[in-house]
Amino acid sequence: MKIDGSFLGGGHEVGRLGILLNCEGSRLLFDYGMTATDPPLYPNPCPPIDLVFLTHSHLDHCGMIPWLTARYDIEILATGVTADIAMMLIEDSIKIGEAEGYPQPYDKRDAKIASRMFDDISFGQTIDAGSVRVKMHSAGHIPGATMYELQGDRTALVTGDLHTLDTRLVAGARAVKCDYLIMESTYSGRNHPSRVKTEYNLLKKIEEVTKRGGTAVIPSFAVGRTQELMLLLKDSKYDFWLDGMGKTVNKIYLRYPQYVRSIKRLRQATNRTREVRNYHARQRAMKGEVILTTSGMLDGGPVLSYVDAIRDDPRSAILLTGYQVEGSNGRKLLETGMMDFKGVSERVECEVRKYDFSAHAGHDELRAFAKACSPEKIVLMHGDEREILAGDLRTDGFEVLLPKNGEKFSL
Ligand SMILES: [Zn+2]
């Protein structure tokens, strides 16, 4: 099996992923996303293809699907949960784009067409993609996140975003023996602190904040992170509220129990969570103990009202739970103690902390995963510091390729 590949985006960077693989005459595309920065970044235009595989629903993997389906009559293969959440995020990104006034790569009509082009796949299933067979495996990143194994006389594994440790929401990915491994490398050069310790530290901080009479505002990504935190908080004594898009994601996850580690626990967590459904509830939540809300990087959404309400109160705290991208409001807050409210930069006097609840494998976990897959060649992608991990993998005896966007590679 011969594979010729190139990255339309997301090769030497985190974001806007598009992996084009020509495999025995089948032109396959894995993911087609956008980087939701201000202004947004898009991958290179995709040439005609035969089939699209979507690894998961984060916008940097799925955000350009409507651009594809507006031009080509093609199927998008994805798990049901990935398709539902991808469409929710795509529709939301159209609204945000309209509000920000940037030229948009597609419109609502294109999104509607895209929503009809998904074909449901599930883990363990194998399908024919022209001259190759493709098998689906869990990637452990968020519920429904998929790794694709291409099978011919040789095998190749495309990981998408990858997490190998079990979290409360989803079980970690297992290695798949393969000849070629195309693996993400977001955390090349960096390891995460122990999850048990991070959870303990966050709970301890919430206790401190509530004891001194403050409110803990926890900005968190709607997809995956919010549910992980709900599962952590469900056994605590706190009165906790949920606002923003996480509410819709909960409903979708509950429809797809097969992709969640314990649907029973997720259901308990949703029952235990107080959802903010109207203005009055929001006023009550503002005086509550803990609020989980979007957006995770403070770039919009209900979180801004909650932060605005507590920012002068030294008893209260903003507890960040995700990576804060350069240029985001959350990054600005961490670096300067100031953040933007409706275009005006204001000082934040309450406590600000950050906790690492990443859904990506860290450096050592990526290295261990690659070793367990024991491939002949490794292509590292989706990373801006790929060289560090590549160095360690070469020490382990692997041939490692680091193609930049647009550069051709052969396997
Ligand atoms: Zn992701």
Side-chain angles (χ1 to χ4, degrees), residues 161-178:
D161 287 0
L162 175 68
H163 202 194
T164 56
L165 300 181
D166 291 346
T167 58
R168 290 172 185 265
L169 183 61
V170 57
R174 302 243 178 89
V176 177
K177 293 267 183 236
C178 57

Side-chain angles (χ1 to χ4, degrees), residues 260-272:
V260 172
R261 193 171 163 201
S262 163
I263 198 66
K264 189 173 150 212
R265 270 184 256 147
L266 185 63
R267 201 166 284 126
Q268 287 167 349
T270 357
N271 292 339
R272 170 80 173 76

Side-chain angles (χ1 to χ4, degrees), residues 77-145:
L77 298 185
T79 55
V81 66
T82 294
D84 285 5
I85 292 179
M87 285 318 302
M88 178 194 78
L89 292 178
I90 286 167
E91 277 155 22
D92 185 60
S93 88
I94 295 175
K95 276 189 219 145
I96 294 170
E98 278 170 359
E100 284 175 347
Y102 294 113
Q104 301 237 55
Y106 51 81
D107 58 22
K108 281 183 202 146
R109 236 185 26 226
D110 299 328
K112 194 149 199 179
I113 296 171
S115 70
R116 297 181 188 132
M117 302 310 283
F118 284 96
D119 244 353
D120 201 348
I121 47 144
S122 48
F123 299 155
Q125 187 191 350
T126 309
I127 56 135
D128 282 318
S131 45
V132 284
R133 288 180 68 70
V134 182
K135 186 171 181 188
M136 278 58 88
H137 303 267
S138 168
H141 171 59
I142 53 171

Side-chain angles (χ1 to χ4, degrees), residues 34-42 100 102-103:
M34 57 180 266
T35 309
T37 39
D38 190 5
L41 298 172
Y42 303 110
E100 284 175 347
Y102 294 113

Side-chain angles (χ1 to χ4, degrees), residues 170-192:
V170 57
R174 302 243 178 89
V176 177
K177 293 267 183 236
C178 57
D179 298 303
Y180 313 121
L181 174 65
I182 302 174
M183 182 173 77
E184 70 121 321
S185 56
T186 315
Y187 277 85
S188 166
R190 287 172 294 160
N191 279 309
H192 303 297

